[in-house]
Amino acid sequence: MPAPTSIRLPARSSAAVEDYLERILELINTKGYARVVDIAQSLKISQASVTNMVQRLDAEGLLKYEKYRGLALTTAGEALARNITRRHQLLTDFLKLLGLDDDVIYHDVEGMEHHISPPTVRAIEALTEQLQRHPALLVKVRKDIDEN
Amino acid sequence: MPAPTSIRLPARSSAAVEDYLERILELINTKGYARVVDIAQSLKISQASVTNMVQRLDAEGLLKYEKYRGLALTTAGEALARNITRRHQLLTDFLKLLGLDDDVIYHDVEGMEHHISPPTVRAIEALTEQLQRHPALLVKVRKDIDEN
DNA sequence: TCAAAAAGTTAGCCATGGCTAAATTAGTTG
DNA sequence: CAACTAATTTAGCCATGGCTAACTTTTTGA
Ligand SMILES: [Mn+2]
Ligand SMILES: [Mn+2]
Ligand SMILES: [Mn+2]
Ligand SMILES: [Mn+2]
């Protein structure tokens, strides 16, 4: 039996962790890499704060980080990143159907995305699909909104 | 011109502040008052933490608190409480239409309610109303969910 | 090649919002 | 009305996640 070394608990990821992972994946997908300075600029957070979080994510096994060099998401980190990205995209698509402004959508999605559990994700997915198939109802919704 | 005494800034209310105000209003509406011990039990938070927050809310002008005695929401505090209550109720009604379990709904609403801005509130209100008027689409949504 | 600039890190600070333990006040009851 | 109990407050602690300033490492370009 191996020695009972320090066990790393699952560590339920916070909104901040999800925002970092989501942005890191996006940077990697668009420019091929995610440096501390890129993450900082993109999230409008100081480089020092990013360094701190990146080291924490490394310690939690969500990415591998080499000091002064670069970082790469681990399988676990990428899974989390894809998951939060899916929630972000879904909520954006959904609110877009309702005719809301992009700024409002972005602001609200950025907050809400951290609070929808898997069943709710599936339900909103199903609703979004049905609404896309039946635009008549959306026309009425938008009219109601305007009359307000 | 009056002396430039300590100005109390608007203090953009946090999720925690909203949760406290919402629960305080609910307690007042159901049992007529909201003592520290009631709030603590209801929010599953220690009495010491509640005392702390109640004093902060008093300092921010959201309620009037008399040490060791009782508290009452101010006009500003009650306005905020009613506002968050409305968002809570709306999201609950909306997710209920999608056929989600009450536990899931409560959990997700408790988080999401702090992140929907006024335009989004109005849009989801309009959508909820239209969905209630046209249940056919909801039937399909629920079927889609089950098939997953 | 080597100095300046850019990037990254560290140290130390802060606010928020939790907690427990101990002290204090208020309420109840024999 | 005194003592017990319940309620409340205070003190001191902690984690999270921001910040700035100062320092270090890496990259770049004359
Ligand atoms: Mn976010
Ligand atoms: Mn996002
Ligand atoms: Mn809440
Ligand atoms: Mn609520």
Side-chain angles (χ1 to χ4, degrees), chain A residues 14 16 20 44-46 48-49 53 56 68-69:
Chain A
S14 65
Y20 273 93
K44 298 188 210 309
I45 277 173
S46 74
S49 297
M53 178 61 90
R56 205 184 104 191
Y68 294 106
R69 306 298 300 172

Side-chain angles (χ1 to χ4, degrees), chain A residues 2-112:
Chain A
T5 57
S6 68
I7 301 280
R8 198 180 317 300
L9 293 169
R12 151 65 179 136
S13 54
S14 65
V17 165
E18 290 186 333
D19 282 338
Y20 273 93
L21 291 175
E22 183 186 10
R23 197 57 59 95
I24 288 168
L25 179 60
E26 187 193 311
L27 285 167
I28 289 173
N29 284 341
T30 58
K31 48 188 311 188
Y33 54 88
R35 304 285 300 263
V36 166
V37 67
D38 303 316
I39 301 167
Q41 269 183 34
S42 181
L43 288 177
K44 298 188 210 309
I45 277 173
S46 74
Q47 291 188 22
S49 297
V50 172
T51 293
N52 210 37
M53 178 61 90
V54 160
Q55 289 175 350
R56 205 184 104 191
L57 296 177
D58 178 285
E60 287 176 11
L62 297 174
L63 52 79
K64 281 318 272 179
Y65 185 50
E66 260 187 287
K67 255 187 197 175
Y68 294 106
R69 306 298 300 172
L71 60 84
L73 292 173
T74 61
T75 304
E78 187 175 333
L80 275 183
R82 287 189 188 287
N83 192 279
I84 178 65
T85 299
R86 176 188 177 197
R87 277 173 277 151
H88 183 114
Q89 187 61 54
L90 169 62
L91 288 174
T92 300
D93 292 348
F94 170 60
L95 294 185
K96 204 105 178 92
L97 286 183
L98 304 185
L100 291 162
D101 287 350
D102 286 351
D103 322 346
V104 171
I105 292 177
Y106 184 77
H107 172 271
D108 290 8
V109 167
E110 212 40 66
M112 285 192 292

